[in-house]
Amino acid sequence: MMQSILFIGAGRMAESIIAGLYRKNGGNLENVFISNRNDSNRLEFLVEKYEVKMVADWKEIINEVEVIVLAIPPDQHPIILEQMNLLITNQFIVTIAAGIGPTFLETYLPEKTPVAWMMPNTAAEVGHSMTLFTYGNHVKVQHEQTMEFLLNAIGHSHYCSENDIHLLTAITGSAPAFLYLFVEAIIDTTEQLGVSRKVASELVSEMVYGSIEMLKTGQEPQELRSQVTTPGGATAEGIKVLKEGGFEELLKKAVLATNKKAKGENE
Ligand SMILES: NC(=O)C1=CN([C@@H]2O[C@H](COP(=O)(O)OP(=O)(O)OC[C@H]3O[C@@H](n4cnc5c(N)ncnc54)[C@H](OP(=O)(O)O)[C@@H]3O)[C@@H](O)[C@H]2O)C=CC1
Ligand SMILES: O=C(O)[C@@H]1CCC=N1
């Protein structure tokens, strides 16, 4: 039987995880409680869609749950953790927030609290998140089993160090947005060539899907690119424009800027 889980925060990422759990558990989420700051319409929507239970104030239920998932913005963590510090009785605390590792959680919570950090992405909704995770110093086998249950419900996962999650947040957490921007731009361009939005979206989505299937064969991206790029042919001209425009360098800069912000180094 699934452990009781309280989500604090009911935004986009919380919904993606809940949707993944819902798919995996055949809709049985009677032990899942959700809460947020003040958007009760949002909670009602999630209750209707995923058959979870809503709570107006997470403090009222905290001692009836075994696991707490913090799906709130990074800057809300100190406030919530300080309140939680006075109330928890050894629940397993998991955050999904960028920049908030186990070291941060342990600083705010009572000694020996079991904590973990996961960095999922929104593909959790369809069971295809690539999630990074790590543990604090007081996690036992039962907590690792809980974590595996959560991770398996939303896709693939990779255990790494806390520092690695800081370095890879841009890659598994944020880069889906970079990819969607690429797709948006290609669709816009296709439309500008005179094709309807609907057809443009279908052509581009299937092209991306096919390319991902090719990647999944294990061939190197460079090899796959070379197969497309006929020497002296048309694709080479397009690649030349991208390279001259600094495409690769720009992506690297985007990754570094994302990680810097995630670590709170912009403030
Ligand atoms: N979106 C993504 O792809 C990913 C996000 N994350 C992490 O997930 C976390 C949430 O992001 P995301 O879902 O995108 O954000 P959203 O803005 O969609 O959701 C934030 C949620 O947090 C709630 N909230 C904010 N402050 C409080 C508070 N003090 N007490 C209780 N609830 C609060 C909000 O409630 P209300 O609406 O009532 O204010 C809302 O439900 C972030 O820490 C982010 O770093 C990690 C990986 C990927
Ligand atoms: O944009 C953000 O801050 C979060 C972190 C990773 C993906 N989304």
Side-chain angles (χ1 to χ4, degrees):
M1 172 131 155
M2 187 168 148
Q3 285 189 301
S4 48
I5 306 174
L6 166 66
F7 281 81
I8 303 182
R12 289 157 304 179
M13 198 58 233
E15 180 174 0
S16 295
I17 296 174
I18 289 167
L21 288 169
Y22 189 76
R23 287 171 88 248
K24 187 82 174 187
N25 288 283
N28 183 6
L29 296 189
E30 63 187 30
N31 286 342
V32 174
F33 300 85
I34 53 162
S35 64
N36 59 10
R37 187 165 33 190
N38 43 36
D39 186 351
S40 58
N41 289 338
R42 171 75 180 162
L43 296 183
E44 280 162 17
F45 166 80
L46 295 174
V47 167
E48 180 73 22
K49 192 163 176 191
Y50 302 106
E51 300 166 67
V52 290
K53 296 195 171 73
M54 63 187 262
V55 283
D57 183 354
W58 58 266
K59 295 179 215 68
E60 285 166 13
I61 187 120
I62 190 163
N63 280 317
E64 292 169 41
V65 297
E66 291 147 295
V67 185
I68 299 171
V69 177
L70 296 171
I72 49 177
D75 66 2
Q76 292 298 305
H77 277 66
I79 303 162
I80 298 292
L81 291 171
E82 270 167 15
Q83 293 170 350
M84 196 175 273
N85 181 301
L86 306 169
L87 299 168
I88 60 169
T89 47
N90 213 34
Q91 288 87 342
F92 181 34
I93 313 294
V94 182
T95 185
I96 65 164
I100 307 288
T103 307
F104 189 99
L105 297 177
E106 284 174 352
T107 308
Y108 280 86
L109 292 169
E111 219 182 318
K112 301 215 169 117
T113 303
V115 303
W117 185 21
M118 64 158 91
M119 182 49 55
N121 63 45
T122 52
E125 179 178 335
V126 290
H128 284 287
S129 173
M130 178 63 247
T131 308
L132 307 174
F133 70 102
T134 196
Y135 296 117
N137 290 312
H138 308 291
V139 161
K140 300 196 167 64
V141 175
Q142 82 228 44
H143 305 116
E144 291 181 0
Q145 286 168 346
T146 301
M147 195 72 167
E148 276 166 30
F149 171 82
L150 287 172
L151 293 166
N152 289 342
I154 61 174
H156 295 278
S157 57
H158 179 76
Y159 175 80
C160 47
S161 70
E162 177 167 354
N163 194 44
D164 281 349
I165 301 190
H166 284 298
L167 294 174
L168 296 172
T169 292
I171 308 299
T172 61
S174 301
F178 304 168
L179 187 65
Y180 297 136
L181 180 62
F182 173 86
V183 171
E184 265 176 77
I186 297 265
I187 291 176
D188 289 347
T189 305
T190 312
E191 211 181 355
Q192 282 156 19
L193 295 173
V195 176
S196 74
R197 185 83 187 168
K198 185 170 176 290
V199 171
S201 298
E202 196 179 320
L203 296 181
V204 174
S205 300
E206 283 302 319
M207 178 275 290
V208 171
Y209 183 76
S211 306
I212 288 165
E213 287 293 307
M214 289 295 277
L215 281 169
K216 282 165 80 176
T217 64
Q219 295 177 80
E220 288 294 325
Q222 198 188 353
E223 169 57 23
L224 294 171
R225 174 160 64 85
S226 148
Q227 289 165 13
V228 183
T229 315
T230 308
T235 313
E237 286 303 304
I239 296 275
K240 193 170 148 212
V241 170
L242 289 175
K243 283 190 175 272
E244 282 172 1
F247 184 68
E248 291 139 306
E249 200 50 36
L250 208 54
L251 274 180
K252 192 170 159 191
K253 273 192 192 164
V255 165
L256 296 179
T258 300
N259 281 342
K260 194 170 171 208
K261 174 72 177 174
K263 278 196 91 174
E265 288 169 1
N266 287 24
E267 281 98 52

